[in-house]
Amino acid sequence: DAGITQSPRHKVTETGTPVTLRCHQTENHRYMYWYRQDPGHGLRLIHYSYGVKDTDKGEVSDGYSVSRSKTEDFLLTLESATSSQTSVYFCAIGGSSGNTIYFGEGSWLTVV
Amino acid sequence: DAKTTQPNSMESNEEEPVHLPCNHSTISGTDYIHWYRQLPSQGPEYVIHGLTSNVNNRMASLAIAEDRKSSTLILHRATLRDAAVYYCILGYTGNQFYFGTGTSLTVIP
């Protein structure tokens, strides 16, 4: 395992409520990513971070915000959850070795 | 951003070699070629990556065309545990890694 922990692993929430997913790493990697995965769409990049307080948008960033106040934590926030944000969310990390990224186990989010 | 093209699905008999193709005609000089696989209800698992030369590891081999516009992931002896969705993506750490829909590999006993 690449030292990545996602929390919560499963969550059911109501439409309109805020939700925060946490990605925690113990590898001291510089780069962190949030993806969502839906049937028929594969994995799509939401946001990524290239350092503390340095983040950028991916291809499906609308409705999501992120924060990275320390190297080990990358938070994904849904300010007002909608049913279209029901998905599986994966965090990934990448560092100086290997030029590749490693994924967490996923967070299953259901918005009802 | 450079994209990849993979077949939607492939089948292989157990214990036979599998060659999974990937086309990436717009690859840039700094893009590494990465392969991941994903089992149901799990996160993508790193398989192998390379830049220009062929690569081997305990899981698979990666054959990269001389012009780098295509590559092939080779599983030397398919097992039932190799049944998964295989993704070929381009990128390097610090850049955006874009995944397509991958190739769903079925292994027939």
Side-chain angles (χ1 to χ4, degrees):
Chain A
D1 292 334
I4 310 169
T5 304
Q6 292 186 227
S7 59
R9 295 290 315 282
H10 299 271
K11 185 175 181 66
V12 180
T13 191
E14 293 185 349
T15 299
T17 59
V19 177
T20 295
L21 305 180
R22 180 187 185 223
C23 179
H24 178 78
Q25 61 149 328
T26 58
E27 305 297 317
N28 200 35
H29 281 336
R30 177 180 178 184
Y31 305 101
M32 300 185 75
Y33 305 78
W34 275 109
Y35 288 85
R36 63 176 288 174
Q37 186 170 35
D38 306 289
H41 289 278
L43 286 129
R44 293 181 291 174
L45 181 64
I46 305 172
H47 282 279
Y48 70 106
S49 170
Y50 44 94
V52 173
K53 297 186 179 180
D54 290 323
T55 64
D56 206 349
K57 296 178 180 180
E59 55 187 323
V60 289
S61 59
D62 288 347
Y64 302 95
S65 62
V66 290
S67 66
R68 190 165 177 205
S69 59
K70 45 187 178 178
T71 300
E72 57 265 36
D73 288 325
F74 191 32
L75 304 180
L76 177 70
T77 298
L78 292 65
E79 300 290 346
S80 178
T82 67
S83 58
S84 65
Q85 294 176 311
T86 292
S87 187
V88 184
Y89 292 86
F90 289 102
C91 174
I93 64 174
S96 58
S97 63
N99 289 292
T100 193
I101 61 176
Y102 300 92
F103 284 81
E105 296 184 334
S107 293
W108 274 253
L109 177 67
T110 302
V111 184
V112 297
Chain B
D1 296 294
K3 303 296 184 186
T4 62
T5 303
Q6 300 177 251
N8 289 332
S9 61
M10 292 184 63
E11 287 186 351
S12 174
N13 293 320
E14 193 176 12
E15 297 188 2
E16 290 186 356
V18 183
H19 290 236
L20 298 166
C22 182
N23 290 316
H24 29 79
S25 59
T26 60
I27 189 170
S28 72
T30 54
D31 281 332
Y32 283 74
I33 301 159
H34 307 256
W35 283 85
Y36 290 81
R37 71 181 185 182
Q38 187 176 24
L39 300 172
S41 299
Q42 294 187 22
E45 175 189 26
Y46 167 77
V47 178
I48 200 167
H49 77 289
L51 185 60
T52 56
S53 303
N54 294 344
V55 183
N56 300 295
N57 66 22
R58 64 175 181 81
M59 293 181 67
S61 295
L62 174 60
I64 301 173
E66 193 169 339
D67 62 6
R68 302 211 323 130
K69 293 184 177 182
S70 66
S71 61
T72 302
L73 178 69
I74 303 166
L75 307 178
H76 297 287
R77 288 180 70 246
T79 70
L80 297 179
R81 289 176 296 176
D82 291 323
V85 178
Y86 287 79
Y87 296 96
C88 165
I89 64 172
L90 306 178
Y92 53 91
T93 311
N95 198 5
Q96 301 186 25
F97 284 72
Y98 287 105
F99 283 69
T101 53
T103 297
S104 178
L105 175 66
T106 300
V107 180
I108 303 168

